[in-house]
């Protein structure tokens, strides 16, 4: 009976961690500006959530006693994930704004590029700077820092 309770506790923890990680994968531009399929994002979120739960031996301070309490805990994890994603999205948004300013200064403000992933018009230099920022994010190892921040949170 004790082993079964331990497995349920691990499963609840893994689901909550996966919720937080999943929000990060779905609401940040780290996937190459929307070009990664949803199945891969979900699979990656599940993999990272389960690995973080297993490797770090994360334990909940309070075990949910009802589905309503579990739902509240899930909502709290979603909120934390959105907060982390907001910081990442803001940093990448700075590249887009800088590109818009460059477009206006160089006369390319009327010329914009259709992003097929989001089906939105984006500034030419904005898209270029955002892709450059994404490449630098991975080249400088910031994705490792991001994973450490997720594990620490």
């Amino acid at each position: 009976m004790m082993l079964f309770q331990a497995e349920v506790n691990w499963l609840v923890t893994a689901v909550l961690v996966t919720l937080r990680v999943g929000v990060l994968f779905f609401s940040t531009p780290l996937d190459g500006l929307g070009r990664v399929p949803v199945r891969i994002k979900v699979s990656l979120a599940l993999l990272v959530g389960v690995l973080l739960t297993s490797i770090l031996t994360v334990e909940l301070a309070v075990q949910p006693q009802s589905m309503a309490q579990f739902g509240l805990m899930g909502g709290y994890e979603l909120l934390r994930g959105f907060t982390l994603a907001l910081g990442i999205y803001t940093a990448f948004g700075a590249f887009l704004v800088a590109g818009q300013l460059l477009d206006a200064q160089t006369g390319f403000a009327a010329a914009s590029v259709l992003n097929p992933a989001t089906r939105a018009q984006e500034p030419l230099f904005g898209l270029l700077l955002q892709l450059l920022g994404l490449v630098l994010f991975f080249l400088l190892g910031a994705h490792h820092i991001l994973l450490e921040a997720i594990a620490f949170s």
Side-chain angles (χ1 to χ4, degrees):
M1 181 66 177
M2 191 64 145
L3 180 65
F4 179 72
Q5 185 65 28
E7 295 299 324
V8 169
N9 292 342
W10 181 88
L11 183 64
V12 167
T13 306
V15 167
L16 292 175
V17 171
T18 302
L19 278 175
R20 185 184 303 181
V21 171
V23 167
L24 278 172
F25 287 154
F26 277 94
S27 60
T28 57
L30 298 179
D31 64 346
L33 304 175
R35 294 183 183 96
V36 176
V38 174
R39 286 184 183 176
I40 293 177
K41 286 183 187 180
V42 169
S43 300
L44 192 61
L46 282 170
L47 179 71
V48 171
V50 167
L51 284 176
L52 281 175
T53 305
S54 298
I55 292 171
L56 298 176
T57 59
V58 178
E59 292 185 22
L60 295 175
V62 177
Q63 294 296 329
Q65 301 300 319
S66 66
M67 286 304 288
Q69 189 177 12
F70 179 69
L72 285 173
M73 291 173 82
Y76 180 69
E77 292 299 320
L78 288 174
L79 187 64
R80 285 182 127 185
F82 277 123
T83 304
L84 289 170
L86 178 67
I88 296 167
Y89 205 83
T90 303
F92 281 97
F95 289 112
L96 191 62
V97 170
Q100 285 178 332
L101 291 173
L102 278 173
D103 277 344
Q105 293 295 320
T106 58
F108 288 129
S112 56
V113 178
L114 175 69
N115 185 351
T118 61
R119 294 190 177 104
Q121 295 285 336
E122 294 185 359
L124 186 65
F125 282 124
L127 187 60
L128 179 70
L129 287 177
Q130 199 168 21
L131 287 172
L132 181 67
L134 187 65
V135 168
L136 285 175
F137 180 81
F138 287 109
L139 281 179
L140 296 176
H143 59 290
H144 294 290
I145 297 169
L146 177 64
L147 285 174
E148 287 176 11
I150 293 169
F152 183 72
S153 70

